[in-house]
Structure formats: C-alpha cells, structure tokens
Amino acid sequence: MSKKLLIVESPAKAKTIGKYLGGEFSVKSSVGHIRDLPRESGAIKIAEKGPDSWVFTPTYEISDGKEKVVSELRAATRAADEIYLASDPDREGEAIAWHLKEVLGPVAGKKPFKRVTYNEITKAAVLKAVSEPRDIDMPLVDAQQARRILDRLVGYRVSPLLWKNINCVNNRTLSAGRVQSVALRLLVERQREIDAFTPETYYLMGVEAKKDGDSKSFVARLAKIDGGKPDVRSKEDANTMILDLSDSALVVEGVKEQGKARHALPPFTTSTLQQAASSVLGMSPGKTMKLAQSLYEAGRITYMRSDSVHVSDQARDAAREFVERVCGPEFYPAKPNVFSTKAKGGVAAQEAHEAIRPTDVELTPKRASESGMDSQELKLYDLVWRRFVASQMADAKTTVTTVSIGARKPAIAHKYVFTASATRIDFEGFLKVMKLSLKAKTKEGEDDDDTDEVAYLPELAKGDQLKALRWISDEKQTKGPSHYSEASLIKALEENGVGRPSTYAATIETLKTREYAKNDKRKLVPLERGILVCDWLVKKMDALFSVGYTAKMEAELDGVEENKVSMDSMLSGFYAKFLRDIAAIVEEESPPMEKFDAVFELLGDVKEWKPTKKVGRRIYDDKAFVESVKTQAAEGKRPLSQRQLQFLVRMALMYADQIPDCEARLKASGLGAAKPVVERADPELVSYCFNQLDRIGGADRNPFLKSLREQFDRGKGLSPKQFQILARSVGENAGELDDCEAVRAKLSEFVPGGFEEAPADPSIPVLLKMMESVKEWRPATKRGKRVYDDQEFVKSLKDQYARRHSLSPRQLVALKRVVTLYRQQIPDFAERAKELGLKNSDDAPAE
C-alpha cells in the first residue's frame, strides 16, 4: 500500500481530517503560508519589456519561524509516495498549495503532487475531494501573486512618501495600502459630511387617540394638511396648529388592509456574516472570522471565505427534510428558494463556493450547546444556522392595516388627516426560526418614530368616532449622516467593489492599529493621523486611491484568475500609471537645480574624503555619493529630491574645515545652516534585530530595549553604540532559536568580542530544579521604588537560563541565597548544600 501525505493549513484541521482518512494517509499542517516576499524593497524584480510593459518576478523566502515546519514537511515528503495539497479553496489557499509544491518539489523528485479542495470538513466531503484530485490552478495563483505584488508596490513606494511629508508622532509607522487607504478615505469623507451638516428643527405633529370602550390608546401621525405633506418648522406654527385642532372630533375616514409577503434573506457570505455579527452580536470582523475559522476547522460550518449564496442540492434536501419534519410541510416553499450571487460595484463575485452554512442542519443551536460548544462560537453558529434554515423556508405572510383619521369641528382652518399603521402576522414562515423586525426602515435623516407604525391598533371601521386624549407636537432635529460602523463600512466596501470580503477584517484592524481610526460607541471615527494621511494621498494621488479605480483593479484581478489576461499585462497597466503618479510627486517636491549647483561648488573644494565605511550591508562612501548625485542631475532621468539636497548640505558642513567660509556661502545660497550628518546604524539591521527579539520573546520587559524600539518606530535611527547594545542583547538571548548560529554570525561584527557564552555552571540547573519544590512564597515587599518578589525573581532567572544557558556571577550568588532562604521546603537541601556551596542562613536574595 502506497504512503500518502496530505497537507492542510492548520493543526486543528489536520486533527479533524486525520480522523476521516485511513492509515494510508499521514496528515500534516503547514500552519498557514510557508513562504513570503522578503521585507527588503528588492523582493520584486521588475524588468522592462517595452513601452509601458514589464515582467514582474517576485522572489520568495521561507517565512520567519517556519524553518522547523518546512523541515518536518520535507521529511514527511521523503517518506510518502504521493503528496496531496489540501489548503483552503480560494486564491490564498491555491497560492499556499503552489508554494508547498515549489518548496517540497526538489525533495519529492518525481512523486506526484495532487490538489484537493472541499467546502466543508465532513467525512463525505473530504473523501470525495481526495478521490477527485486536480492540478494546481495557476491562473488562481497568479491572481494571488498579482494582488500581493500590487499591495507591496503601493505600500513600499507610497509609505516612505508619507514618512517624509507628514509630521506627526511615530510617523515611521504611517502606511498606505491599496484597499486600506480607500477604506480610510470613506471614513474621512463621511466625517467631512458630518462636520458640514447643519441640523434643522422641525415638529412632528400627531394625536393620541382611543376608541370608546377600549382601555388602550394609540398614536396617529399627521400625514396630510390640506392635501399636502406637513412641514412644520417653528414652534409658533406648531402652537397655531394645536390651537386649530383643539376640541376637534376624530372620525375614521378610511381603513385599508394590504397583504405583504416577506421573503427570507439568502444564507451568509463572508461580508454579510461580518455585518450581521457586528450588528446583532457586537463582534468585530476580526473576531467573527476567528470564530468562523474555528467552527469551519471543527467541521461545523462550510468554508467561511465565500462571496457566493449558492447552496448545494444535498444541503437543500437536508434543510427541506428538517423544516417539514420540525416546523411542518407548510413552512417549506412550493418551489425551493434559489438565490443568485449579484455583482457588486460592477465586479463579478469571485471564488464562487457555497454560502456559509452549517454542515449538518440537524445540529441545532440547542444541541450544539448541549455538546459543549464554546459560548462565543455558539453565538456565531446560532446566527449561521438560523440564517441558513430561514433561507430555505416559506415567505412570512403579513397584513398591514392603515387607518386614516380626520379632525372635524366648525370653523377649523385646515383639513387634517392623521394615519396609523399596524402589521399583523398571518403566517410566520421563516420568522419561526429567525425573528426580524417588521417595522419599515426609516429614511436617512428621520427618527425611528417618524413613521406612523404602532404596536397596537384596535379594530376600526369607516365612520367610527375616536376620542382625542392629547394633541402631540414633538420638537425634532434633522439627522445628518452618521459615522460608519464596522458593519456599514464593510457593506460600503462590498457595494463599491473595493477589496474582497476575506480582507475586510484585516483592513479594519489595520486602520485601528495604525491609529487612523478608533471605535467610539461602535462607530469608526477617523483620527487626526488618519485624516492627515488621507488628505495627503487624495491631494497627491487622488485617482490611485479612488473608489472607482480600486474597484477596477479588483475586476482586473478577477480577469487574471479567469485566465482572460496575464499577470504581467494586468500589473503593467497599473505600474505605468503608478510610475507617472510617483514621478509627478517627486518632481513637484524637487528643489531648484541652482541650490544643488551651489553645494556642488562648495564640495568641489574638498581634497581629502573620509575612507569608505561598511555598516551591515551598506557601504558609506561620501565622494561616491556626491558623484552619484551629480550623475543623476546630468542625466536628467530622475528629479533630485529634497532629501538629497539636505544630505549634501550636511556633508558640506562635515567637511567645513576644507571649505572656506562654508556656512556663510551656504546662507548666501539660501540654504542656511544644517546639522552635520549623524552616523546611524543600518535601519535594515535594526529592524532585523527587533524581529529576532520578537521571536525570542520577553524583550518588552527590558525598559532600555523597549525605549530603543520606540525611538526607532518614531523614525529616529539608532546610534552605533545603541545598535551594539541591541545586537549584543539579541545574540546573548538567541540560544533557543533554531538558527541561533546564523543570527549570531550576522551580528557578530557589530559586537566587540562576539558572543562568547559564559562557561556553563553545572550547579545552575540543579539550583533551579530545587526551587520547583517551593509551594509557599514570601509576600512581595517594596523598598523605595523597587518591588522584591522572590517568585518572580526565580522565574526570571529560569527564563534567562532557558534562553542563554547561563547566569551572571551576581545572579548565581543571588539564586543560592534564595535557595538557602527556602531550605525548609526543599527535601534534599542538607545533602546538597555543601557540594553546591550553600550557606545555612536566612540571608535575603541579592538585589
């Protein structure tokens, strides 16, 4: 029997699927993507092919922290005869499958790779998928690569322009994104509409009436005055109207009944699920998708990233049997409900899988609760289950009764007609499982109580007399536009064809993380940083970050997926326009050539240049830099920048001892005085070090390292001395990293003496082991500003030893004192005390 390897994306999914497949299958997880574009700006090679035509070649590397996963997958590949790639059934999943094949191919040799997909993790669906494998869909992979390249080009070329042109705290954390910036634009434009809105006062007129013999009253709203719509704008007009109506008799002038059918909503797509979870459950899109992912991997719902409302015949038949058995045959429609996936913003829905639905309709929310489903997952499952079952049920039948009431009295100045409406449910239909408000939606600018709908309306007939209990004059203010909620922003993005539902949660989270917007009473409110970024982007690159252009790009990505256009052709169309936009910005900001000529003249006096210096990957050569700027100016292909001018001025000041009257000549040229260039560590190496600290963990507990990170995030580089400390800290704590030696080799040249580890003291692990016997700790004490906590102290030493396999001599002395202090709780203390150099005393631990 051949050995088969099936690779999925998550360990949870691997565990579930492993139960469905026989012993011939080994199920492994890639834990998401295993490769990504390097962080360096040269990750995408762009070769010009002709006028406005380029070839885009991305280079990939194994993602940080995935070396061990890749190693295990390679070993599993060697042991297998066939490899099944079972990542998610969408663009991202197809790309993961392709990356797995690219990485594992050299190890597999001629062993076949097979692509399998399924929309639900059930035994039947998985077995069917494995029996019907296919090849990797390269147009789908290209669509994902094109999206990734687009996002990288925009982010890496536009974000530095923001750092340079926007002055705010932590401006190095500013970023632009193809979809993110359009979402931000919607928020800012809505804020401007809100700021520009001026509320107007109006009066809502009505009457509280009661039928004789009835204990309940109801409110009717003034619908017409002299045959027209009432428009009462002042308190005086309202009071005049009340005076005219006083002592009037109320007579029912007409009763109208109208039957209505309320149709069930279609089952959820990713977008509508996020909207409903936000509105009904108050869940953020990110939380919604996390819970949905968990439900999917547990086999409870179908794949949660879908633009489709399609339902399989099998699922529809199961729903029909359930509805007819549990609710009754009359609750299933004579003709099954079939929903079509509409295009949004002119963009056809992509990735047409099934809608999001329960995999087993028999697992009702009640049964799911009894099975021990997580409470948060249960709330979302309940929403999915009810929406799906309701979508398969018959229409709800209602009757809307509208009563027209006239006001009569001698010498009344106007003809008044009041109305009141009430809805009666004649047949529940889908409302039996999904309760919805039957109240009509109000128009923008109206209050919910601006309508004439009432909860109670007595039986009335034409000519009936009613008693007016009080005349109503409610002062109101017109309502302007409101801030987007997370749900309504998602709806706006989808309706305009911007982005894809699978990315909306991450987009909104980025807006909040970057401090472009915040949640305020469940509304997304743009912050000053976001408004500054949006205004600059709109001013400089309006078309690129417009709703229409971004939607057009989504349509073109769909064209790549459908093999209608090549990836390079699609990207070239974007890149040509993008380059023109960037060039226009740079040219607009380029200083006059006369200023460069003035500095070139000064630097012409320099005879002795500083020697070339290498810092990390970068080589610093002052003379070569000046010559390169001169060459760029002479060629005239690219405009010179303000940043280049600033560096040239600072360089002139560095060599002022060789330039006669340097500062005076600079001022005469309108360049003023500038600070000399301060040597800074290579930012790429600094970023690398902080990435390694994130992998190691615990760096945030070191105040100095934390302050270095904050300094770097603010856009201020690190001095060579600061970088040396940072690099040393990384190297000394890299002991547990799989690539520890590689990390230390990369940083060793910046740390005098390298990373020679302290000799291992065999007593340290023994002492730490002895402390595991301690169950009762002394309470923490405070002396001045310091807090002394024995338990935390020992824990910190264990953490450090695990990372570095050593303690300092001072720390070792302190550890021995603590062990001695707790000797009564350590069973073998007396036997080991002498050999470990422990004193039989109650000394406190060293500070």
Side-chain angles (χ1 to χ4, degrees):
M1 182 181 293
S2 64
K3 297 178 182 177
K4 300 175 181 179
L5 170 65
L6 185 137
I7 304 174
V8 296
E9 288 180 51
S10 75
K13 195 190 301 183
K15 186 176 181 181
T16 303
I17 291 176
K19 299 175 184 176
Y20 300 149
L21 300 174
E24 62 179 323
F25 274 93
S26 171
V27 183
K28 299 288 184 182
S29 164
S30 69
V31 196
H33 278 278
I34 61 166
R35 291 202 307 180
D36 198 3
L37 296 170
R39 296 191 179 191
E40 291 77 13
S41 57
I44 302 162
K45 293 184 174 64
I46 305 174
E48 191 167 1
K49 192 168 64 172
D52 287 353
S53 179
W54 294 268
V55 175
F56 298 81
T57 307
T59 57
Y60 296 99
E61 64 180 15
I62 301 300
S63 302
D64 285 346
K66 287 299 180 73
E67 295 82 1
K68 185 176 180 181
V69 172
V70 170
S71 176
E72 291 174 351
L73 291 177
R74 282 174 174 154
T77 299
R78 291 190 189 96
D81 298 317
E82 298 174 80
I83 301 94
Y84 290 76
L85 306 173
S87 45
D88 288 341
D90 57 9
R91 284 180 187 163
E92 212 67 30
E94 204 71 20
I96 289 174
W98 176 73
H99 282 296
L100 285 166
K101 184 178 178 181
E102 290 289 300
V103 172
L104 302 178
V107 176
K110 295 184 179 180
K111 297 174 185 177
F113 283 86
K114 300 178 180 181
R115 175 75 169 119
V116 296
T117 58
Y118 36 79
N119 285 324
E120 59 183 70
I121 303 178
T122 59
K123 186 172 184 178
V126 171
L127 293 178
K128 185 174 185 295
V130 170
S131 68
E132 299 174 353
R134 59 170 173 80
D135 292 330
I136 290 175
D137 186 340
M138 282 311 298
L140 201 58
V141 174
D142 284 345
Q144 190 274 346
Q145 290 195 98
R147 178 188 293 277
R148 194 78 180 85
I149 291 170
L150 277 175
D151 292 342
R152 174 59 69 92
L153 288 174
V154 172
Y156 273 49
R157 294 296 297 275
V158 180
S159 296
L161 295 175
L162 297 177
W163 306 341
K164 176 182 172 184
N165 289 282
I166 295 179
N167 185 20
C168 66
V169 178
N170 293 341
N171 71 336
R172 292 281 295 190
T173 63
L174 298 177
S175 71
R178 192 176 54 85
V179 175
Q180 161 199 319
S181 297
V182 177
L184 175 61
R185 183 172 183 171
L186 290 176
L187 295 183
V188 174
E189 288 179 347
R190 177 59 61 86
Q191 181 67 57
R192 296 262 156 78
E193 292 172 13
I194 293 169
D195 293 342
F197 177 77
T198 302
E200 296 180 2
T201 301
Y202 70 98
Y203 289 82
L204 197 62
M205 312 301 294
V207 61
E208 182 181 358
K210 189 174 79 166
K211 183 181 179 182
D212 285 341
D214 197 339
S215 60
K216 289 185 178 180
S217 63
F218 64 94
V219 172
R221 294 296 180 192
L222 179 63
K224 289 183 180 180
I225 178 169
D226 296 332
K229 185 177 180 181
D231 184 19
V232 186
R233 295 287 173 169
S234 69
K235 184 68 173 175
E236 292 75 11
D237 289 346
N239 289 339
T240 300
M241 200 173 288
I242 294 291
L243 190 61
D244 193 30
L245 285 165
S246 62
D247 299 326
S248 295
L250 296 177
V251 179
V252 176
E253 295 182 345
V255 178
K256 179 183 176 183
E257 290 193 343
Q258 183 179 7
K260 289 187 177 181
R262 178 73 178 266
H263 306 299
L265 295 169
F268 283 129
T269 61
T270 303
S271 169
T272 54
L273 175 62
Q274 291 174 342
Q275 292 173 51
S278 176
S279 301
V280 178
L281 303 176
M283 289 182 180
S284 69
K287 182 177 181 179
T288 298
M289 294 308 293
K290 184 178 179 181
L291 293 172
Q293 175 95 26
S294 180
L295 288 170
Y296 166 66
E297 292 178 350
R300 299 306 191 191
I301 64 172
T302 53
Y303 189 53
M304 67 287 165
R305 294 188 181 93
S306 173
D307 291 356
S308 174
V309 291
H310 169 68
V311 174
S312 69
D313 292 339
Q314 181 183 4
R316 182 175 288 110
D317 291 343
R320 176 174 188 165
E321 193 280 328
F322 177 86
V323 170
E324 291 184 341
R325 170 168 49 84
V326 175
C327 303
E330 68 277 14
F331 282 87
Y332 194 82
K335 185 179 179 181
N337 295 333
V338 177
F339 302 94
S340 60
T341 303
K342 297 179 181 179
K344 297 292 184 184
V347 182
Q350 59 109 350
E351 305 171 337
H353 313 299
E354 269 200 81
I356 303 170
R357 60 167 178 81
T359 56
D360 179 8
V361 74
E362 296 291 341
L363 183 67
T364 63
K366 182 179 179 181
R367 286 182 56 199
S369 175
E370 292 170 349
S371 71
M373 183 181 287
D374 173 79
S375 61
Q376 291 297 303
E377 290 179 7
L378 180 62
K379 289 179 181 178
L380 192 65
Y381 180 78
D382 181 90
L383 205 62
V384 172
W385 186 90
R386 291 184 188 281
R387 177 77 167 238
F388 169 68
V389 174
S391 74
Q392 302 302 301
M393 294 177 70
D395 294 346
K397 302 292 176 60
T398 64
T399 297
V400 178
T401 302
T402 302
V403 178
S404 299
I405 304 167
R408 299 178 185 176
K409 78 172 184 178
I412 193 167
H414 301 281
K415 179 174 174 55
Y416 301 92
V417 177
F418 299 83
T419 60
S421 299
T423 301
R424 180 182 71 245
I425 298 176
D426 302 316
F427 174 65
E428 279 187 300
F430 75 90
L431 294 175
K432 189 173 183 68
V433 298
M434 187 176 182
K435 303 302 181 186
L436 291 175
S437 171
L438 298 177
K439 190 173 184 179
K441 291 184 178 179
T442 56
K443 298 178 182 178
E444 189 170 333
E446 291 182 343
D447 273 332
D448 290 341
D449 58 358
D450 280 4
T451 68
D452 67 354
E453 291 191 46
V454 294
Y456 169 75
L457 194 62
E459 285 192 23
L460 296 170
K462 186 175 180 179
D464 282 353
Q465 300 284 324
L466 299 173
K467 182 179 181 181
L469 300 180
R470 66 185 177 96
W471 301 102
I472 296 171
S473 170
D474 288 339
E475 182 178 327
K476 299 282 186 179
Q477 294 272 312
T478 53
K479 287 187 174 181
S482 62
H483 290 104
Y484 285 104
S485 63
E486 293 187 349
S488 60
L489 179 60
I490 288 172
K491 185 177 181 181
L493 291 171
E494 185 182 34
E495 287 178 343
N496 285 289
V498 176
R500 280 290 173 261
S502 57
T503 66
Y504 291 158
T507 297
I508 290 174
E509 200 56 41
T510 298
L511 292 177
K512 293 188 287 187
T513 302
R514 299 284 182 195
E515 296 182 349
Y516 291 172
K518 68 174 182 179
N519 264 326
D520 185 4
K521 298 177 182 177
R522 297 182 64 180
K523 296 290 185 180
L524 281 171
V525 180
L527 298 171
E528 183 181 3
R529 281 166 62 89
I531 294 172
L532 288 172
V533 168
C534 179
D535 287 349
W536 190 89
L537 291 175
V538 171
K539 180 181 178 182
K540 301 292 185 179
M541 311 180 82
D542 181 23
L544 179 65
F545 294 107
S546 68
V547 169
Y549 184 74
T550 307
K552 178 175 175 287
M553 298 306 299
E554 293 295 345
E556 292 182 3
L557 284 168
D558 289 339
V560 175
E561 179 179 326
E562 295 159 12
N563 210 16
K564 293 178 180 177
V565 62
S566 71
M567 179 180 81
D568 286 334
S569 177
M570 179 263 165
L571 288 172
S572 291
F574 162 81
Y575 195 57
K577 173 176 170 42
F578 185 60
L579 284 182
R580 289 192 291 270
D581 288 346
I582 295 292
I585 294 171
V586 174
E587 185 174 356
E588 180 184 328
E589 297 175 349
S590 181
M593 193 62 216
E594 292 80 8
K595 294 197 174 185
F596 282 94
D597 290 337
V599 187
F600 289 148
E601 183 181 347
L602 290 173
L603 291 169
D605 294 335
V606 178
K607 305 303 179 185
E608 294 184 18
W609 295 91
K610 290 185 177 181
T612 300
K613 185 176 182 180
K614 185 178 180 182
V615 180
R617 296 181 184 177
R618 295 191 176 185
I619 296 174
Y620 294 89
D621 186 328
D622 294 346
K623 184 178 181 180
F625 172 72
V626 174
E627 293 303 321
S628 71
V629 178
K630 284 183 177 180
T631 302
Q632 181 181 335
E635 291 176 346
K637 291 182 179 179
R638 292 184 295 120
L640 300 178
S641 70
Q642 181 69 32
R643 186 177 178 86
Q644 287 173 309
L645 180 61
Q646 289 173 348
F647 268 96
L648 289 172
V649 171
R650 290 174 182 171
M651 194 170 289
L653 289 169
M654 276 201 322
Y655 290 93
D657 58 335
Q658 300 182 51
I659 303 172
D661 301 319
C662 179
E663 289 194 29
R665 291 162 69 184
L666 282 173
K667 289 180 180 178
S669 301
L671 293 168
K675 295 179 181 178
V677 177
V678 177
E679 189 176 345
R680 293 295 181 192
D682 184 348
E684 290 182 8
L685 278 172
V686 176
S687 181
Y688 173 82
C689 284
F690 284 127
N691 289 337
Q692 303 316 307
L693 284 179
D694 289 339
R695 292 175 61 199
I696 295 167
D700 287 342
R701 290 196 293 268
N702 185 312
F704 182 68
L705 294 180
K706 189 176 180 181
S707 71
L708 291 184
R709 187 189 291 266
E710 290 171 352
Q711 175 181 325
F712 185 66
D713 287 344
R714 288 196 304 270
K716 187 177 179 182
L718 302 190
S719 69
K721 182 66 176 178
Q722 288 175 317
F723 178 68
Q724 183 187 106
I725 297 171
L726 174 63
R728 182 182 295 280
S729 180
V730 171
E732 290 178 347
N733 288 283
E736 285 206 334
L737 297 180
D738 295 334
D739 55 349
C740 169
E741 293 308 316
V743 171
R744 287 175 174 170
K746 187 180 182 79
L747 301 176
S748 60
E749 65 177 285
F750 307 104
V751 181
F755 302 103
E756 294 183 8
E757 295 189 34
D761 188 322
S763 70
I764 295 174
V766 178
L767 292 166
L768 292 172
K769 184 71 176 175
M770 291 169 71
M771 290 305 298
E772 292 180 4
S773 302
V774 177
K775 305 301 180 186
E776 295 183 11
W777 298 86
R778 293 192 308 177
T781 59
K782 188 173 182 181
R783 300 177 198 167
K785 293 184 179 180
R786 290 191 176 187
V787 176
Y788 295 88
D789 187 322
D790 295 345
Q791 188 174 11
E792 285 299 315
F793 175 69
V794 173
K795 183 177 181 298
S796 70
L797 294 184
K798 288 181 69 175
D799 290 343
Q800 179 181 319
Y801 188 75
R803 293 195 309 269
R804 297 170 57 176
H805 306 293
S806 67
L807 298 180
S808 70
R810 189 164 180 261
Q811 288 174 319
L812 180 57
V813 170
L815 176 60
K816 288 181 177 180
R817 294 173 72 182
V818 172
V819 171
T820 302
L821 183 65
Y822 288 92
R823 63 187 181 279
Q824 300 298 336
Q825 299 184 51
I826 300 173
D828 53 355
F829 178 84
E831 300 171 14
R832 298 191 176 186
K834 190 172 182 180
E835 65 178 272
L836 294 174
L838 302 178
K839 295 180 180 180
N840 189 14
S841 66
D842 289 334
D843 291 340
E847 296 178 9

